[in-house]
Each structure stands twice: as C-alpha cells, then as structure tokens.
Amino acid sequence: VTPGFGAGHKAYDNYSKHMASWGFAVIGIDFTNAGDHPQSAEDILDTIDWVEQGLSPLGDSVDTNFVATAGHSAGGKVAFGAASIDPDRIGAVIGWDPVNAGGPPCDILIFGSSDDPDAFCNRDPVAPNPLTGQTGIMDTMVAASLTFASPPGGPFTPEQHAANYFYDGTVNADAVYVLFPDGRHINWGPTAGDNNFEAQVGKPSGMAWLLRHLLGVSGPGIDAYIPPQAEGIEVQSKSP
C-alpha cells in the first residue's frame, strides 16, 4: 500500500486492516524520495524482493506468487508504475484516485508556509509525469486494474492527469473504472472511514478484486462487487 504525496502509509490503515482481515499480508511503505516517482516504483519492487528473500519479519509465511499493489493519488500512479515495470510478479492493481502527475501544484502544498513560494518550489521540485508521454509504458502491464476516481479538474486531480488515464492505459488485462461524481480526492486518504461512501464501495469491491484476480476465487459473493453496484457511482469495465 503506497501513500499519496505528502502522506504516510499509516494514513491508509483503514484499507490495510480490512485487507489483512481477509488473510492478505499487507505492507505499507513510505518512499525514500516521494518526489521521484520512478524511484518510488523501484521502492515497491525492492520491498517485494525483501519479502521474497525472507528478510522481512513475515519470514516465509507470505506467498509471493500472489502480489498486488494499491495506492492513493501519486501513490496510485506509482502502484501502476511498479506493475508496468514488473509484470511477472504483480497480478493486480487498485488505484484510489491515482493522479498521473508529479504532485499537486506547489503553491497548494505549502499552504502559505513559505514567504517565497517560488524559491520553495524550486528547492523542492517534484518529478514530472514519468508515465505520461512514454508511449507504450502501460502496454507492458498485465495486472488487472481497479481504478476509483473523483471528478477530474480539481486542484489535486488536474484534467489532463486524472485517473481515467490508468483505466484507458490498461490494455492487456481486465479493468474497471469507478467514478464518484460527488467524490473528493482526499476521501480515499487520511479522512477515510467506515462511514465514508468511497470506503463503503471501495473496500468490498477492492477485496473482491484481489480474491478474483490474485487467487482465482469466483462466485456470486465475488460477482456482486465486480463491478461495484451502488447508487451514485458511474462504472466502466473492459477486458482485453
């Protein structure tokens, strides 16, 4: 589980604990350099290596033949990036409103904490869009992708970098795109709770997605959540 820009993995404990309650080993990671998204994707792969080599506290209790990535905002983008780099090991991706951009505009991030915003932004730049403009980068991904989205065009979800990029870019696997017309980008992050509409839809459908595409579980209990069925959402789905 990978965090959005400026957040830490513990902000997503609501989702992580839910997945763990179904028997999945869930590892939340914080990036070595959150502004460098290619490096962040490598951080995910290094974490998988760490577990495969038996170096983690989990020992040999984890079956690394079944690996998924999940992330919010920039962390969602990095989750897709890792799946594109390592299609042999990552079989499913869940993106909580992933954003295909370097991060929110710098003046949003500083919240007035600097007297010289330009100097602040120049000193702490964010890597630009390593997935945008790289023709075919998503073509290597074979992981089934479930993408949740708030309406594009907000301050954290610029129109040209919105979550639909990841749905459109998934061409070699099943993909579902779930738009919450009244959703807010931060509702998948630190504010997520059991009474949050995004969580009410996202947690069961995300779990069904992992059970189907990692473990091959099928049946009415799974099919009822893929694609998600709820009033107030718009769903697209496709298969290769």
Side-chain angles (χ1 to χ4, degrees):
V1 173
T2 49
F5 191 82
H9 72 272
K10 286 188 174 297
Y12 305 89
D13 277 356
N14 187 40
Y15 290 101
S16 297
K17 291 178 179 179
H18 179 72
M19 290 185 279
S21 73
W22 282 80
F24 287 94
V26 182
I27 299 176
I29 67 171
D30 295 326
F31 301 122
T32 54
N33 180 357
D36 186 337
H37 294 161
Q39 177 58 53
S40 295
E42 292 294 339
D43 288 348
I44 293 176
L45 304 183
D46 289 344
T47 302
I48 299 172
D49 291 341
W50 175 65
V51 176
E52 280 188 333
Q53 294 164 12
L55 301 176
S56 81
L58 299 169
D60 59 1
S61 63
V62 178
D63 188 341
T64 54
N65 291 307
F66 306 98
V67 177
T69 55
H72 172 232
S73 194
K77 168 192 170 180
V78 170
F80 274 91
S84 300
I85 295 169
D86 197 343
D88 292 334
R89 293 195 293 181
I90 298 175
V93 182
I94 299 175
W96 299 307
D97 213 12
V99 179
N100 190 36
C106 188
D107 59 347
I108 293 175
L109 290 177
I110 62 176
F111 291 106
S113 61
S114 172
D115 294 331
D116 190 346
D118 290 337
F120 180 93
C121 294
N122 290 333
R123 186 181 71 247
D124 296 309
V126 177
N129 316 308
L131 293 185
T132 300
Q134 295 188 21
T135 304
I137 184 64
M138 294 276 289
D139 293 351
T140 61
M141 192 182 80
V142 295
S145 68
L146 174 61
T147 302
F148 299 102
S150 62
F156 295 97
T157 54
E159 189 93 31
Q160 68 272 30
H161 303 308
N164 60 290
Y165 169 86
F166 300 95
Y167 172 74
D168 294 339
T170 302
V171 295
N172 295 317
D174 290 350
V176 169
Y177 175 81
V178 184
L179 175 66
F180 292 75
D182 297 322
R184 299 174 65 216
H185 183 65
I186 62 171
N187 282 2
W188 280 272
T191 63
D194 290 335
N195 294 322
N196 176 311
F197 181 52
E198 287 86 347
Q200 290 176 8
V201 174
K203 288 166 68 175
S205 58
M207 185 51 51
W209 193 257
L210 297 182
L211 291 170
R212 173 183 287 181
H213 291 287
L214 283 187
L215 303 182
V217 178
S218 61
I222 301 296
D223 297 341
Y225 296 102
I226 303 176
Q229 308 291 325
E231 293 186 9
I233 62 173
E234 300 173 10
V235 178
Q236 301 179 53
S237 61
K238 63 182 181 180
S239 296

PDB file of all heavy atoms in Angstrom, residues 73-98:
ATOM      1  N   SER A  73      -3.618   8.520  -5.053  1.00  0.00           N
ATOM      2  CA  SER A  73      -3.076   9.727  -5.661  1.00  0.00           C
ATOM      3  C   SER A  73      -1.745   9.414  -6.341  1.00  0.00           C
ATOM      4  O   SER A  73      -1.677   8.530  -7.186  1.00  0.00           O
ATOM      5  CB  SER A  73      -2.954  10.820  -4.602  1.00  0.00           C
ATOM      6  OG  SER A  73      -2.737  12.078  -5.186  1.00  0.00           O
ATOM      7  N   ALA A  74      -0.665  10.122  -5.957  1.00  0.00           N
ATOM      8  CA  ALA A  74       0.638   9.819  -6.544  1.00  0.00           C
ATOM      9  C   ALA A  74       1.061   8.391  -6.221  1.00  0.00           C
ATOM     10  O   ALA A  74       1.725   7.729  -7.034  1.00  0.00           O
ATOM     11  CB  ALA A  74       1.688  10.802  -6.031  1.00  0.00           C
ATOM     12  N   GLY A  75       0.669   7.888  -5.043  1.00  0.00           N
ATOM     13  CA  GLY A  75       0.969   6.504  -4.704  1.00  0.00           C
ATOM     14  C   GLY A  75       0.235   5.518  -5.591  1.00  0.00           C
ATOM     15  O   GLY A  75       0.724   4.412  -5.849  1.00  0.00           O
ATOM     16  N   GLY A  76      -0.954   5.897  -6.067  1.00  0.00           N
ATOM     17  CA  GLY A  76      -1.663   5.059  -7.026  1.00  0.00           C
ATOM     18  C   GLY A  76      -0.934   5.006  -8.348  1.00  0.00           C
ATOM     19  O   GLY A  76      -0.798   3.950  -8.973  1.00  0.00           O
ATOM     20  N   LYS A  77      -0.447   6.157  -8.787  1.00  0.00           N
ATOM     21  CA  LYS A  77       0.349   6.200 -10.013  1.00  0.00           C
ATOM     22  C   LYS A  77       1.582   5.316  -9.881  1.00  0.00           C
ATOM     23  O   LYS A  77       1.919   4.554 -10.800  1.00  0.00           O
ATOM     24  CB  LYS A  77       0.757   7.633 -10.283  1.00  0.00           C
ATOM     25  CG  LYS A  77       1.810   7.816 -11.344  1.00  0.00           C
ATOM     26  CD  LYS A  77       2.294   9.246 -11.254  1.00  0.00           C
ATOM     27  CE  LYS A  77       3.494   9.462 -12.103  1.00  0.00           C
ATOM     28  NZ  LYS A  77       3.954  10.848 -12.004  1.00  0.00           N
ATOM     29  N   VAL A  78       2.252   5.385  -8.737  1.00  0.00           N
ATOM     30  CA  VAL A  78       3.453   4.579  -8.524  1.00  0.00           C
ATOM     31  C   VAL A  78       3.094   3.094  -8.479  1.00  0.00           C
ATOM     32  O   VAL A  78       3.862   2.249  -8.967  1.00  0.00           O
ATOM     33  CB  VAL A  78       4.152   5.030  -7.225  1.00  0.00           C
ATOM     34  CG1 VAL A  78       5.255   4.069  -6.830  1.00  0.00           C
ATOM     35  CG2 VAL A  78       4.728   6.437  -7.410  1.00  0.00           C
ATOM     36  N   ALA A  79       1.937   2.748  -7.921  1.00  0.00           N
ATOM     37  CA  ALA A  79       1.494   1.350  -7.904  1.00  0.00           C
ATOM     38  C   ALA A  79       1.328   0.820  -9.328  1.00  0.00           C
ATOM     39  O   ALA A  79       1.720  -0.310  -9.640  1.00  0.00           O
ATOM     40  CB  ALA A  79       0.189   1.222  -7.129  1.00  0.00           C
ATOM     41  N   PHE A  80       0.746   1.638 -10.210  1.00  0.00           N
ATOM     42  CA  PHE A  80       0.634   1.250 -11.610  1.00  0.00           C
ATOM     43  C   PHE A  80       2.010   1.183 -12.265  1.00  0.00           C
ATOM     44  O   PHE A  80       2.286   0.286 -13.077  1.00  0.00           O
ATOM     45  CB  PHE A  80      -0.240   2.250 -12.366  1.00  0.00           C
ATOM     46  CG  PHE A  80      -1.710   1.958 -12.303  1.00  0.00           C
ATOM     47  CD1 PHE A  80      -2.490   2.500 -11.298  1.00  0.00           C
ATOM     48  CD2 PHE A  80      -2.319   1.150 -13.254  1.00  0.00           C
ATOM     49  CE1 PHE A  80      -3.850   2.238 -11.231  1.00  0.00           C
ATOM     50  CE2 PHE A  80      -3.673   0.879 -13.202  1.00  0.00           C
ATOM     51  CZ  PHE A  80      -4.451   1.425 -12.188  1.00  0.00           C
ATOM     52  N   GLY A  81       2.884   2.129 -11.920  1.00  0.00           N
ATOM     53  CA  GLY A  81       4.220   2.127 -12.497  1.00  0.00           C
ATOM     54  C   GLY A  81       4.989   0.869 -12.158  1.00  0.00           C
ATOM     55  O   GLY A  81       5.647   0.275 -13.020  1.00  0.00           O
ATOM     56  N   ALA A  82       4.897   0.431 -10.904  1.00  0.00           N
ATOM     57  CA  ALA A  82       5.582  -0.797 -10.496  1.00  0.00           C
ATOM     58  C   ALA A  82       5.038  -2.002 -11.251  1.00  0.00           C
ATOM     59  O   ALA A  82       5.796  -2.888 -11.676  1.00  0.00           O
ATOM     60  CB  ALA A  82       5.443  -0.992  -8.989  1.00  0.00           C
ATOM     61  N   ALA A  83       3.708  -2.039 -11.432  1.00  0.00           N
ATOM     62  CA  ALA A  83       3.100  -3.157 -12.162  1.00  0.00           C
ATOM     63  C   ALA A  83       3.524  -3.162 -13.626  1.00  0.00           C
ATOM     64  O   ALA A  83       3.607  -4.224 -14.258  1.00  0.00           O
ATOM     65  CB  ALA A  83       1.577  -3.089 -12.048  1.00  0.00           C
ATOM     66  N   SER A  84       3.808  -1.990 -14.181  1.00  0.00           N
ATOM     67  CA  SER A  84       4.274  -1.904 -15.560  1.00  0.00           C
ATOM     68  C   SER A  84       5.725  -2.362 -15.686  1.00  0.00           C
ATOM     69  O   SER A  84       6.097  -2.995 -16.674  1.00  0.00           O
ATOM     70  CB  SER A  84       4.150  -0.458 -16.068  1.00  0.00           C
ATOM     71  OG  SER A  84       2.814  -0.018 -16.026  1.00  0.00           O
ATOM     72  N   ILE A  85       6.530  -2.039 -14.674  1.00  0.00           N
ATOM     73  CA  ILE A  85       7.936  -2.423 -14.703  1.00  0.00           C
ATOM     74  C   ILE A  85       8.114  -3.918 -14.452  1.00  0.00           C
ATOM     75  O   ILE A  85       8.991  -4.560 -15.037  1.00  0.00           O
ATOM     76  CB  ILE A  85       8.715  -1.630 -13.628  1.00  0.00           C
ATOM     77  CG1 ILE A  85       8.699  -0.134 -13.963  1.00  0.00           C
ATOM     78  CG2 ILE A  85      10.158  -2.114 -13.528  1.00  0.00           C
ATOM     79  CD1 ILE A  85       9.214   0.733 -12.834  1.00  0.00           C
ATOM     80  N   ASP A  86       7.274  -4.486 -13.596  1.00  0.00           N
ATOM     81  CA  ASP A  86       7.442  -5.884 -13.176  1.00  0.00           C
ATOM     82  C   ASP A  86       6.147  -6.669 -13.375  1.00  0.00           C
ATOM     83  O   ASP A  86       5.486  -7.065 -12.420  1.00  0.00           O
ATOM     84  CB  ASP A  86       7.862  -5.932 -11.706  1.00  0.00           C
ATOM     85  CG  ASP A  86       8.452  -7.274 -11.303  1.00  0.00           C
ATOM     86  OD1 ASP A  86       8.245  -8.258 -12.042  1.00  0.00           O
ATOM     87  OD2 ASP A  86       9.117  -7.344 -10.256  1.00  0.00           O
ATOM     88  N   PRO A  87       5.772  -6.888 -14.641  1.00  0.00           N
ATOM     89  CA  PRO A  87       4.503  -7.589 -14.895  1.00  0.00           C
ATOM     90  C   PRO A  87       4.528  -9.054 -14.475  1.00  0.00           C
ATOM     91  O   PRO A  87       3.469  -9.668 -14.321  1.00  0.00           O
ATOM     92  CB  PRO A  87       4.333  -7.452 -16.412  1.00  0.00           C
ATOM     93  CG  PRO A  87       5.722  -7.290 -16.938  1.00  0.00           C
ATOM     94  CD  PRO A  87       6.460  -6.507 -15.888  1.00  0.00           C
ATOM     95  N   ASP A  88       5.717  -9.622 -14.287  1.00  0.00           N
ATOM     96  CA  ASP A  88       5.797 -11.039 -13.935  1.00  0.00           C
ATOM     97  C   ASP A  88       5.379 -11.306 -12.495  1.00  0.00           C
ATOM     98  O   ASP A  88       4.962 -12.411 -12.163  1.00  0.00           O
ATOM     99  CB  ASP A  88       7.223 -11.554 -14.148  1.00  0.00           C
ATOM    100  CG  ASP A  88       7.625 -11.593 -15.610  1.00  0.00           C
ATOM    101  OD1 ASP A  88       6.724 -11.713 -16.461  1.00  0.00           O
ATOM    102  OD2 ASP A  88       8.829 -11.480 -15.896  1.00  0.00           O
ATOM    103  N   ARG A  89       5.505 -10.291 -11.633  1.00  0.00           N
ATOM    104  CA  ARG A  89       5.227 -10.538 -10.213  1.00  0.00           C
ATOM    105  C   ARG A  89       3.968  -9.865  -9.710  1.00  0.00           C
ATOM    106  O   ARG A  89       3.407 -10.296  -8.692  1.00  0.00           O
ATOM    107  CB  ARG A  89       6.420 -10.080  -9.367  1.00  0.00           C
ATOM    108  CG  ARG A  89       7.661 -10.892  -9.579  1.00  0.00           C
ATOM    109  CD  ARG A  89       8.693 -10.657  -8.484  1.00  0.00           C
ATOM    110  NE  ARG A  89       9.236  -9.299  -8.509  1.00  0.00           N
ATOM    111  CZ  ARG A  89      10.159  -8.866  -7.663  1.00  0.00           C
ATOM    112  NH1 ARG A  89      10.630  -9.667  -6.721  1.00  0.00           N
ATOM    113  NH2 ARG A  89      10.618  -7.619  -7.740  1.00  0.00           N
ATOM    114  N   ILE A  90       3.513  -8.807 -10.364  1.00  0.00           N
ATOM    115  CA  ILE A  90       2.361  -8.058  -9.859  1.00  0.00           C
ATOM    116  C   ILE A  90       1.135  -8.398 -10.693  1.00  0.00           C
ATOM    117  O   ILE A  90       1.079  -8.125 -11.887  1.00  0.00           O
ATOM    118  CB  ILE A  90       2.651  -6.544  -9.877  1.00  0.00           C
ATOM    119  CG1 ILE A  90       3.838  -6.246  -8.943  1.00  0.00           C
ATOM    120  CG2 ILE A  90       1.416  -5.759  -9.436  1.00  0.00           C
ATOM    121  CD1 ILE A  90       4.297  -4.809  -8.975  1.00  0.00           C
ATOM    122  N   GLY A  91       0.139  -9.008 -10.040  1.00  0.00           N
ATOM    123  CA  GLY A  91      -1.009  -9.517 -10.762  1.00  0.00           C
ATOM    124  C   GLY A  91      -2.257  -8.664 -10.690  1.00  0.00           C
ATOM    125  O   GLY A  91      -3.215  -8.901 -11.423  1.00  0.00           O
ATOM    126  N   ALA A  92      -2.281  -7.675  -9.804  1.00  0.00           N
ATOM    127  CA  ALA A  92      -3.466  -6.831  -9.668  1.00  0.00           C
ATOM    128  C   ALA A  92      -3.043  -5.476  -9.108  1.00  0.00           C
ATOM    129  O   ALA A  92      -2.055  -5.375  -8.373  1.00  0.00           O
ATOM    130  CB  ALA A  92      -4.509  -7.475  -8.758  1.00  0.00           C
ATOM    131  N   VAL A  93      -3.809  -4.451  -9.481  1.00  0.00           N
ATOM    132  CA  VAL A  93      -3.554  -3.099  -9.003  1.00  0.00           C
ATOM    133  C   VAL A  93      -4.880  -2.474  -8.591  1.00  0.00           C
ATOM    134  O   VAL A  93      -5.882  -2.613  -9.287  1.00  0.00           O
ATOM    135  CB  VAL A  93      -2.911  -2.207 -10.088  1.00  0.00           C
ATOM    136  CG1 VAL A  93      -2.623  -0.815  -9.530  1.00  0.00           C
ATOM    137  CG2 VAL A  93      -1.640  -2.821 -10.623  1.00  0.00           C
ATOM    138  N   ILE A  94      -4.859  -1.768  -7.464  1.00  0.00           N
ATOM    139  CA  ILE A  94      -6.001  -0.948  -7.059  1.00  0.00           C
ATOM    140  C   ILE A  94      -5.510   0.489  -6.948  1.00  0.00           C
ATOM    141  O   ILE A  94      -4.555   0.774  -6.215  1.00  0.00           O
ATOM    142  CB  ILE A  94      -6.590  -1.407  -5.718  1.00  0.00           C
ATOM    143  CG1 ILE A  94      -7.100  -2.851  -5.825  1.00  0.00           C
ATOM    144  CG2 ILE A  94      -7.739  -0.483  -5.298  1.00  0.00           C
ATOM    145  CD1 ILE A  94      -7.586  -3.424  -4.502  1.00  0.00           C
ATOM    146  N   GLY A  95      -6.140   1.372  -7.681  1.00  0.00           N
ATOM    147  CA  GLY A  95      -5.783   2.779  -7.620  1.00  0.00           C
ATOM    148  C   GLY A  95      -6.897   3.579  -6.977  1.00  0.00           C
ATOM    149  O   GLY A  95      -8.021   3.598  -7.479  1.00  0.00           O
ATOM    150  N   TRP A  96      -6.584   4.208  -5.845  1.00  0.00           N
ATOM    151  CA  TRP A  96      -7.549   5.093  -5.185  1.00  0.00           C
ATOM    152  C   TRP A  96      -7.307   6.506  -5.709  1.00  0.00           C
ATOM    153  O   TRP A  96      -6.416   7.215  -5.250  1.00  0.00           O
ATOM    154  CB  TRP A  96      -7.389   5.030  -3.668  1.00  0.00           C
ATOM    155  CG  TRP A  96      -7.618   3.664  -3.090  1.00  0.00           C
ATOM    156  CD1 TRP A  96      -8.703   2.866  -3.275  1.00  0.00           C
ATOM    157  CD2 TRP A  96      -6.743   2.937  -2.215  1.00  0.00           C
ATOM    158  NE1 TRP A  96      -8.566   1.684  -2.580  1.00  0.00           N
ATOM    159  CE2 TRP A  96      -7.372   1.700  -1.917  1.00  0.00           C
ATOM    160  CE3 TRP A  96      -5.500   3.215  -1.643  1.00  0.00           C
ATOM    161  CZ2 TRP A  96      -6.787   0.745  -1.083  1.00  0.00           C
ATOM    162  CZ3 TRP A  96      -4.913   2.267  -0.825  1.00  0.00           C
ATOM    163  CH2 TRP A  96      -5.559   1.054  -0.548  1.00  0.00           C
ATOM    164  N   ASP A  97      -8.056   6.867  -6.709  1.00  0.00           N
ATOM    165  CA  ASP A  97      -7.934   8.179  -7.353  1.00  0.00           C
ATOM    166  C   ASP A  97      -6.481   8.482  -7.727  1.00  0.00           C
ATOM    167  O   ASP A  97      -5.919   9.509  -7.331  1.00  0.00           O
ATOM    168  CB  ASP A  97      -8.482   9.284  -6.450  1.00  0.00           C
ATOM    169  CG  ASP A  97      -9.129  10.418  -7.259  1.00  0.00           C
ATOM    170  OD1 ASP A  97      -9.344  10.243  -8.470  1.00  0.00           O
ATOM    171  OD2 ASP A  97      -9.414  11.468  -6.670  1.00  0.00           O
ATOM    172  N   PRO A  98      -5.848   7.605  -8.526  1.00  0.00           N
ATOM    173  CA  PRO A  98      -4.457   7.864  -8.928  1.00  0.00           C
ATOM    174  C   PRO A  98      -4.369   9.095  -9.818  1.00  0.00           C
ATOM    175  O   PRO A  98      -5.288   9.390 -10.581  1.00  0.00           O
ATOM    176  CB  PRO A  98      -4.075   6.592  -9.690  1.00  0.00           C
ATOM    177  CG  PRO A  98      -5.380   6.053 -10.207  1.00  0.00           C
ATOM    178  CD  PRO A  98      -6.389   6.384  -9.141  1.00  0.00           C
TER     179      PRO A  98
END
